[in-house]
Amino acid sequence: MSRQQSVAIVTGGANGIGWATAQRLAEEGYRVAIADLQAEAARQRAHELGTGHAGIAVDVAAEAQVMALVETVVAQFGRLDVLVNNAGIGDQSHPTIHQSVDAFDRLLGIHLRGTFVACREAGKVMLAQRSGAIVNLCSIAGLAGIPARNAYGAAKAGIAAMTRSMACEWARDGIRVNGVAPGYVATELVNTLARNGQMSVKAIERRTPMGRLARPDEIAHAICFLASDAASYITGTVLSVDGGWHAYGAADADGPPS
Ligand SMILES: NC(=O)c1ccc[n+]([C@@H]2O[C@H](COP(=O)([O-])OP(=O)(O)OC[C@H]3O[C@@H](n4cnc5c(N)ncnc54)[C@H](O)[C@@H]3O)[C@@H](O)[C@H]2O)c1
């Protein structure tokens, strides 16, 4: 089967990192299913990519909807080569002692359970094909402690753990599973955190060795590399794409050496 006919699902593909990834996969010749809570935006984005792509409404927190998503894509395109688990939301904006269990559960339901169910359903198809690549969106917040990011950090750390366990389970079945851990990326998710006073862009720029936020396409490049045959011997890894944020151990990346 030629690369022209390869098929990818990008959850949360209507905006931000997901949209940048969908565009890049389409450029590489994939048929892309943009699966997003925002149904109309997903259809519009698929239309922007041209013919041969699909926009599909899904809430990744709803098991039945994720199962239906994979079924629909396989029915329409006949196979599934790449799954990018990207759909996500930011954490609640309160200090820990004011955080609610409902919001905690909701975030885990989207990020952690959503990724689990999508991997499980894609895994069924990829095991039958004996080929496939899954890329899960992790985060620096799952690797280091960021105050009050409880559900978000736990979800992302959990996604990294699942990435490793599924990678090991399926390594001899032709399925690779990897993660990308972005630092701060200029998307609506970050704009919302900044608007809510949960984050200062200036402080992030100071703390980041490269002195700036990432562009969505810089994360998309890493996702597409891990999904591609160029990464054929890479599985179970979480690649930091963070301008050096996680590597940095001194006081202020903007100041004199300390
Ligand atoms: N922006 C960052 O700085 C950053 C950093 C690290 C990790 N990430 C991760 O990258 C991923 C994408 O983030 P982004 O910044 O592009 O976000 P974004 O807000 O720009 O886009 C997220 C997309 O996900 C969709 N979505 C939200 N909930 C959904 C659900 N339940 N079902 C289906 N779709 C849903 C939204 O409609 C939207 O289109 C997320 O998993 C996020 O946690 C982002």
Side-chain angles (χ1 to χ4, degrees), residues 9-16 18-19 33-45 54-66 69 84-90 106-107 109-111 113-114 189:
I9 294 176
V10 182
T11 70
N15 293 289
W19 172 230
I34 295 179
D36 203 288
L37 197 56
Q38 298 175 36
E40 192 40 49
R43 280 189 280 275
Q44 178 55 39
R45 292 303 205 186
I56 301 173
V58 70
D59 178 354
V60 295
E63 181 183 20
Q65 291 187 33
V66 177
L69 164 69
V84 181
N85 280 305
N86 164 82
I89 59 169
R106 181 171 135 69
L107 193 142
I110 293 170
H111 285 269
R113 200 183 56 220
L189 191 146

Side-chain angles (χ1 to χ4, degrees), residues 11-19 35-39 41 56-62 65 85-90 106 109-111 115 136-141 149 152 156 159 180-193 199 213-214 216 219 223:
T11 70
N15 293 289
I17 295 166
W19 172 230
D36 203 288
L37 197 56
Q38 298 175 36
I56 301 173
V58 70
D59 178 354
V60 295
Q65 291 187 33
N85 280 305
N86 164 82
I89 59 169
R106 181 171 135 69
I110 293 170
H111 285 269
T115 297
N136 296 323
L137 267 290
C138 304
S139 169
I140 51 170
R149 297 277 182 85
Y152 190 84
K156 293 305 194 185
I159 291 169
V180 166
Y184 293 89
V185 190
T187 69
E188 189 46 42
L189 191 146
V190 159
N191 291 342
T192 305
L193 292 173
M199 154 189 308
L213 275 63
I219 311 303
I223 293 169

